[in-house]
Amino acid sequence: MALMRCDFDSEALGLSTSMTVILPQRDPSRVELPTGTADADPPVLYLLHGLSDDDTAWVRQTSIERYVSSLGLAVVMPQVGRSFYSDEKHGNRYWTFLTEELPRVCRSFFRLSDRREDTFVAGLSMGGYGAVKWALRQPERFAAAASLSGALNVAHRRHHPDRPLDPDVWHTIWGDAPVAGPDDDTVALVGRVGPDTPPLYVACGTEDFLYDDNVRFVEAARERGVPVTVEFSPGDHDWPYWDATIRDVLAWLPLRTRPPAG
């Protein structure tokens, strides 16, 4: 594997930013590739960070590099601050950066597949929200999407009695709107899905303060017939839970390449 921190200029943001990237080594003895695809561009997982993290968090806090080492999977971890992966009302265009500029920049720097069946997105907390929002708004781009302890009912978070979203963060992103707009509310988005919606994986610890929000989202998804795999099990909003659960997500991804059995 190759692990790198990449600093680059973003036109969408108008500033220099960073991403952490894991790239697979081309070693047919470790990965069983379909006939004729040994030189194919690898599949890619966009792995999104949470509200208090940056692009290095997944590598520093979990063993993600080791977990993907035999999968032939590239992992792209961008930095988006506290933006909720949105074009901020009083800030910067992080949704535009994520969905338009980042994939283009990544493919200009590295050999990565741009095929839908090779493209996945996942994240934790704020990043789980971002992953689901991206998959629901642009379903034609993804084969699967996963949320770990995601903020999947963000409108409910603004005035939550126990754990409300910081009002300064809300104001920066959505201004004075009483709820997030229809394109930023994942519960509303799942009500507008079409037949091309990719399968979702929703995991949350039962002791997590976001557990009820995840239950509400799953109920809405099932009402619309969205294919969703649910993993609600003991756990809190912390890295031990995410380090364990990301392994389940990687096993669930419909990768076209898998290591040989045994």
Side-chain angles (χ1 to χ4, degrees):
M1 305 295 292
L3 171 66
M4 64 192 73
R5 181 94 185 274
C6 182
D7 301 310
F8 62 100
D9 292 329
S10 166
E11 293 182 7
L13 303 178
L15 50 78
S16 180
T17 190
S18 302
M19 61 179 164
T20 298
V21 181
I22 300 170
L23 295 176
Q25 288 184 247
R26 299 179 184 279
D27 186 353
S29 68
R30 297 183 64 189
V31 178
E32 184 178 344
L33 299 175
T35 303
T37 63
D39 294 324
D41 294 339
V44 58
L45 169 66
Y46 293 96
L47 189 58
L48 310 184
H49 69 73
L51 184 66
S52 60
D53 301 320
D54 63 13
D55 61 291
T56 68
W58 276 104
V59 170
R60 289 186 293 109
Q61 301 286 356
T62 77
S63 296
I64 184 66
E65 183 182 9
R66 178 163 56 87
Y67 299 154
V68 302
S69 62
S70 64
L71 299 180
L73 177 69
V75 184
V76 173
M77 294 160 277
Q79 181 170 189
V80 303
R82 296 163 69 84
S83 69
F84 272 79
Y85 299 87
S86 301
D87 282 348
E88 297 172 318
K89 183 77 171 180
H90 303 292
N92 226 319
R93 299 190 302 153
Y94 282 102
W95 172 256
T96 300
F97 164 73
L98 176 72
T99 64
E100 296 180 17
E101 185 175 25
L102 179 69
R104 183 176 67 248
V105 167
C106 286
R107 288 194 295 270
S108 73
F109 290 166
F110 316 113
R111 289 187 60 181
L112 300 174
S113 176
D114 62 356
R115 297 163 62 94
R116 182 194 189 199
E117 54 265 43
D118 291 333
T119 307
F120 314 97
V121 61
L124 67 89
S125 196
M126 180 187 79
Y129 162 83
V132 169
K133 180 169 72 169
W134 196 1
L136 294 180
R137 287 179 62 171
Q138 298 182 347
E140 72 283 356
R141 300 179 71 162
F142 297 101
S147 167
L148 287 65
S149 310
L152 298 184
N153 192 2
V154 70
H156 185 231
R157 281 288 124 198
R158 187 180 188 192
H159 299 298
H160 192 277
D162 299 321
R163 297 289 294 269
L165 184 65
D166 184 336
D168 290 336
V169 172
W170 185 283
H171 180 75
T172 298
I173 301 169
W174 291 297
D176 297 324
V179 297
D183 286 339
D184 289 312
D185 183 341
T186 49
V187 173
L189 281 169
V190 82
R192 312 196 322 246
V193 297
D196 60 345
T197 302
L200 305 179
Y201 186 104
V202 176
C204 191
T206 52
E207 288 71 49
D208 195 308
F209 73 96
L210 291 173
Y211 174 68
D212 290 343
D213 291 358
N214 278 258
V215 170
R216 173 70 187 95
F217 176 82
V218 167
E219 290 173 348
R222 286 175 168 167
E223 287 171 4
R224 293 292 299 177
V226 174
V228 55
T229 298
V230 179
E231 180 55 48
F232 293 153
S233 58
D236 212 330
H237 203 77
D238 56 27
W239 282 105
Y241 179 81
W242 300 323
D243 181 59
T245 306
I246 192 61
R247 283 175 276 183
D248 297 331
V249 170
L250 293 170
W252 169 81
L253 291 180
L255 295 172
R256 293 191 298 156
T257 62
R258 284 285 176 182

